[in-house]
Amino acid sequence: MSTEDTYLRSVERMLRDIAPEHRTAVLDDLREHFADAADAGQPVDETIRGLGTPRTIAERAHEEFGVASAESDARAERAWRVLQGAAVVMAVVTGVVVAFIMPSFATDEGLKTLFEMQGLWPALIALVPALITVVPLAVGRAARTPVTIICAGLVTALALIGGFTIGGFFLPSVLLSWAALVAWVRLRGSGFGIGWRIAGGVLAALPVLSFLIPVFGGMPGRYADDPVGPSVGIDSWGWVLLAGVLALAALIVVGFRAAGWALTAIGLFVLIVGLVSGGLLTLLFVWLGGLWLTIGLTHAVTAARRR
């Protein structure tokens, strides 16, 4: 990393508490100053001495612009609480379903739940992720970021350890926990730009595209009843849902806030179908619904209102 990049990163870190648009303006002015100095043949070190230390730049910016508005801070607080709260709710619902409702074992007497097979205390282990995800909501703002990182990491580890069994059902809570952390940090910093929206739209669309490509590519066998047609045994409502997700992904890239709420509803619907179906594709539905729920809800609570 060059001396100029190091200097600009230091300034950016010290300007995290001013409004994003003002921070961008300060950094753009500095980059322009460096470019002009380079064109004039002035060494970078000399340019930096003329500008002053990063702290000096930050102090000037604070005097001119002040700190970020209370509205911006409240927006970050609200987004974090919604996403972290959603992670807790999903962890509770998932824990109850996999422990007390969803059959997990096949016996001579039929299918039995984890509770019926192993008793109350082993079944309650499925609620541990819920206890972990609720911890960040109970700490103060000063400890929020490190505590959220630790708790999100623990839930992620539990989900990975559980793999394709009980742990895999907690992927929605894992995604929501990390989304809450990212929203808290970004909204108090530079915010979410077009790059983040593009990433969200692409992630939302990828599962649909991965399903449609083999279908319309004429792949036979398990992908199509008719090798030259798009039939894969899916009802008409399923095609409408897939087309809707693609449309919502495009609207998220554009920045329409309502598209996030719509994708949230679709993700929640798919997730619920997965939890109550008990079929072979249960876990796939839970993962897919969790992905759409996380992307949609994150966009809905972080996107700026259109005026």
Side-chain angles (χ1 to χ4, degrees), residues 47-129:
T47 303
I48 290 176
R49 283 196 298 271
L51 289 171
T53 65
R55 184 172 298 280
T56 301
I57 298 295
E59 289 174 352
R60 293 173 188 165
H62 284 118
E63 291 176 1
E64 182 176 357
F65 301 116
V67 298
S69 66
E71 179 183 355
S72 177
D73 189 69
R75 186 168 158 231
E77 177 78 18
R78 182 170 58 251
W80 180 82
R81 289 197 173 276
V82 169
L83 291 166
Q84 191 66 34
V88 174
V89 171
M90 287 310 310
V92 171
V93 171
T94 302
V96 170
V97 169
V98 300
F100 300 101
I101 299 176
M102 181 181 295
S104 303
F105 301 93
T107 67
D108 294 336
E109 302 173 358
L111 295 174
K112 289 191 175 183
T113 64
L114 179 64
F115 168 67
E116 292 170 333
M117 284 293 299
Q118 300 187 11
L120 179 60
W121 288 111
L124 289 178
I125 294 177
L127 293 176
V128 169

Side-chain angles (χ1 to χ4, degrees), residues 17-307:
D17 55 352
I18 72 171
E21 61 271 19
H22 296 322
R23 180 170 52 256
T24 300
V26 171
L27 293 172
D28 287 344
D29 286 344
L30 290 174
R31 292 190 184 96
E32 184 177 347
H33 190 87
F34 275 111
D36 292 341
D39 291 340
Q42 185 174 7
V44 173
D45 291 342
E46 186 176 337
T47 303
I48 290 176
R49 283 196 298 271
L51 289 171
T53 65
R55 184 172 298 280
T56 301
I57 298 295
E59 289 174 352
R60 293 173 188 165
H62 284 118
E63 291 176 1
E64 182 176 357
F65 301 116
V67 298
S69 66
E71 179 183 355
S72 177
D73 189 69
R75 186 168 158 231
E77 177 78 18
R78 182 170 58 251
W80 180 82
R81 289 197 173 276
V82 169
L83 291 166
Q84 191 66 34
V88 174
V89 171
M90 287 310 310
V92 171
V93 171
T94 302
V96 170
V97 169
V98 300
F100 300 101
I101 299 176
M102 181 181 295
S104 303
F105 301 93
T107 67
D108 294 336
E109 302 173 358
L111 295 174
K112 289 191 175 183
T113 64
L114 179 64
F115 168 67
E116 292 170 333
M117 284 293 299
Q118 300 187 11
L120 179 60
W121 288 111
L124 289 178
I125 294 177
L127 293 176
V128 169
L131 295 177
I132 295 175
T133 54
V134 81
V135 170
L137 293 170
V139 302
R141 289 168 61 96
R144 177 172 297 171
T145 299
V147 170
T148 302
I149 292 174
I150 293 171
C151 291
L154 288 174
V155 176
T156 302
L158 290 176
L160 292 174
I161 292 171
F164 289 95
T165 56
I166 292 178
F169 288 93
F170 290 95
L171 181 63
S173 291
V174 170
L175 295 176
L176 287 165
S177 294
W178 288 113
L181 176 65
V182 172
W184 170 249
V185 173
R186 296 297 302 184
L187 288 178
R188 297 171 69 240
S190 57
F192 290 89
I194 182 63
W196 286 91
R197 297 202 303 270
I198 291 175
V202 170
L203 285 176
L206 273 179
V208 180
L209 295 176
S210 65
F211 177 75
L212 294 179
I213 289 174
V215 171
F216 289 99
M219 187 172 290
R222 63 192 182 98
Y223 286 108
D225 298 330
D226 176 6
V228 297
S231 174
V232 291
I234 187 171
D235 294 330
S236 57
W237 65 264
W239 290 109
V240 172
L241 183 144
L242 294 177
V245 169
L246 287 178
L248 292 173
L251 291 174
I252 284 175
V253 172
V254 174
F256 279 93
R257 195 162 176 257
W261 291 116
L263 187 62
T264 299
I266 290 176
L268 187 60
F269 169 75
V270 173
L271 201 158
I272 292 173
V273 169
L275 287 175
V276 303
S277 65
L280 294 176
L281 298 178
T282 293
L283 203 54
L284 178 61
F285 275 87
V286 170
W287 291 351
L288 186 58
L291 176 67
W292 287 339
L293 169 64
T294 302
I295 294 173
L297 189 58
T298 302
H299 179 73
V301 298
T302 60
R305 295 180 181 273
R306 289 178 173 266
R307 301 187 184 277

